[in-house]
């Protein structure tokens, strides 16, 4: 398949949507990003990357980091993680508090904020420095030492972090966190602030297309764990729009409020797309449309 030609076709098809939607407004450092940007990259299993548009412009990874944190926590600590966090779609916004009380402080899945806080807590216990471990992993898998924390975004998150603090304290009251809440929030906010390009993101996610194998050929996850992470991405990776995303795109995918989305075609390639305008559920409007176009034009999906 000629990936370059395909990407150019997709870019032309979705051009009218670039700039639609609204960049995340609840984090001031994200609200000021120029919305009329769009980039898309495809990495094959051997690490060859193709891209179009702003595919080499760095953006805020935000919740996309939740996939990598989950993979590292599973790799380091195994299955016991699932005693603390579920694997069902929430059907609620990513920062919702409501389910937590009647489900006794056990978040529905690792990709809503409450679940991601549990995963980061676990990773902190397992490694002693959750956010740095995550950054190191992304740098290694992308082969790009410039993948970095963005201090302005992390500070902005911290200053607007009451909702995440509430989620964390609430779970702590149920005994579902090991680490002190302020330290955990710190790691979570720095984790969310990581900035990378579509090229970096597509490369870094390749272990999910390679059934658990890292860029250097070593094993991060078992084949079965890689399947499990992909499955949770498909069912929970785009919050209360996961059903619509599966319907339109038909691939495991994870979005972030920075406007990025990563998607996986197991055994073939990874896709990364970025455009800052978000829909009401927090997913990139042009990004979802581009992935929809990809699976429609190629017939590639997990279905
Ligand atoms: O926790 C937050 O509010 C953000 N730092 C991350 C949220 C996010 O990307 C959710 N995504 N769609």
């Amino acid at each position: 398949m000629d990936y370059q030609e395909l990407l150019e076709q997709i870019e032309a098809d979705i051009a009218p949507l670039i700039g639609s939607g609204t960049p995340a407004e609840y984090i001031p450092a994200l609200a000021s990003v120029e919305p009329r940007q769009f980039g898309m990259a495809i990495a094959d299993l051997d690490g060859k990357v193709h891209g179009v548009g702003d595919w080499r412009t760095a953006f805020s990874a935000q919740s996309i980091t939740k996939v990598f944190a989950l993979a590292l926590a599973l790799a380091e600590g195994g299955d016991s993680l699932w005693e603390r966090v579920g694997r069902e779609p929430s059907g609620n916004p990513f920062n919702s508090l409501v389910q937590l009380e009647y489900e006794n402080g056990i978040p529905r899945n690792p990709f809503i904020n409450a679940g991601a806080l549990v995963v980061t807590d676990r990773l902190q216990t397992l490694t002693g420095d959750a956010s740095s471990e995550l950054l190191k992993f992304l740098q290694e898998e992308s082969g790009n030492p410039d993948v970095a924390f963005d201090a302005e975004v992390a500070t902005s998150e911290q200053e607007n972090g009451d909702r995440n603090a509430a989620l964390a304290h609430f779970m702590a009251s149920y005994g579902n966190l090991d680490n002190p809440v302020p330290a955990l929030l710190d790691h979570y906010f720095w984790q969310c602030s990581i900035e990378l390009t579509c090229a970096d993101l597509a490369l870094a996610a390749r272990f999910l297309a390679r059934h658990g194998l890292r860029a250097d050929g070593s094993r991060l996850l078992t084949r079965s764990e890689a399947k499990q992470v992909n499955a949770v991405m498909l069912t929970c990776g785009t919050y209360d729009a996961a059903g619509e995303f599966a319907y339109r795109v038909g691939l495991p995918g994870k979005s972030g409020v920075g406007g990025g989305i990563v998607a996986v075609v197991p055994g073939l390639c990874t896709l990364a797309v970025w455009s800052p305008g978000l829909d009401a559920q927090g997913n990139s409007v042009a990004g979802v449309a581009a992935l929809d176009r990809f699976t429609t034009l190629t017939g590639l999906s997990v279905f």
Side-chain angles (χ1 to χ4, degrees):
M1 187 177 315
D2 186 334
Y3 283 140
Q4 195 60 43
E5 200 176 301
L6 176 64
L7 286 168
E8 281 160 21
Q9 172 77 54
I10 292 169
E11 187 184 32
D13 290 350
I14 62 91
L17 290 173
I18 299 174
S20 309
T22 332
E25 274 162 355
Y26 74 109
I27 305 170
L30 296 182
S32 58
V33 174
E34 161 56 46
R36 294 197 55 84
Q37 300 186 78
F38 171 83
M40 185 168 186
I42 301 181
D44 70 15
L45 296 189
D46 300 323
K48 185 154 178 38
V49 199
H50 302 266
V52 281
D54 302 306
W55 67 298
R56 293 204 183 274
T57 302
F59 63 89
S60 192
Q62 293 293 317
S63 287
I64 299 171
T65 57
K66 291 170 182 168
V67 177
F68 298 93
L70 173 64
L72 290 181
L74 287 173
E76 296 280 339
D79 257 14
S80 59
L81 177 70
W82 299 118
E83 290 160 20
R84 293 162 164 246
V85 58
R87 303 187 287 259
E88 292 295 342
S90 69
N92 279 312
F94 62 83
N95 56 3
S96 171
L97 278 149
V98 290
Q99 270 168 348
L100 264 185
E101 180 160 27
Y102 61 80
E103 295 184 355
N104 303 316
I106 306 288
R108 271 289 172 104
N109 68 67
F111 295 153
I112 51 174
N113 286 8
L117 285 161
V118 167
V119 172
T120 300
D121 178 67
R122 191 83 197 108
L123 193 59
Q124 177 62 14
T125 301
L126 290 163
T127 66
D129 191 349
S131 49
S132 301
E133 283 298 315
L134 189 67
L135 179 63
K136 186 163 86 113
F137 180 80
L138 290 169
Q139 289 172 336
E140 286 173 0
E141 295 307 290
S142 65
N144 183 3
D146 292 338
V147 174
F149 296 123
D150 180 330
E152 190 199 343
V153 171
T155 306
S156 188
E157 302 247 16
Q158 214 119 30
E159 287 167 353
N160 296 278
D162 288 334
R163 179 71 70 110
N164 285 317
L167 290 166
H169 281 293
F170 198 58
M171 289 189 291
S173 78
Y174 283 96
N176 198 18
L177 296 178
D178 291 334
N179 296 280
V181 168
L184 165 61
L185 287 172
D186 234 42
H187 280 283
Y188 175 77
F189 293 137
W190 283 98
Q191 166 184 328
C192 289
S193 85
I194 290 175
E195 57 168 21
L196 38 54
T197 68
C198 288
D200 299 327
L201 181 57
L203 285 169
R206 270 187 314 143
F207 69 94
L208 290 169
R210 286 157 53 91
H211 305 296
L213 290 184
R214 293 186 61 164
D216 66 1
S218 64
R219 186 163 282 288
L220 178 71
L221 299 177
T222 65
R223 195 179 174 97
S224 166
E225 287 168 336
K227 175 201 72 181
Q228 292 161 355
V229 174
N230 276 317
V232 180
M233 283 171 77
L234 178 76
T235 53
C236 310
T238 42
Y239 313 106
D240 39 343
E244 181 69 8
F245 186 84
Y247 173 85
R248 289 182 63 188
V249 177
L251 292 174
K254 180 76 201 84
S255 59
V257 293
I261 308 175
V262 66
V264 183
V265 187
L268 189 71
C269 65
T270 49
L271 304 147
V273 60
W274 169 62
S275 194
L278 307 179
D279 61 20
Q281 284 80 30
N283 300 310
S284 168
V285 174
V288 174
L291 293 170
D292 177 343
R293 240 14 238 142
F294 172 86
T295 52
T296 303
L297 287 170
T298 60
L300 291 169
S301 89
V302 296
F303 300 107

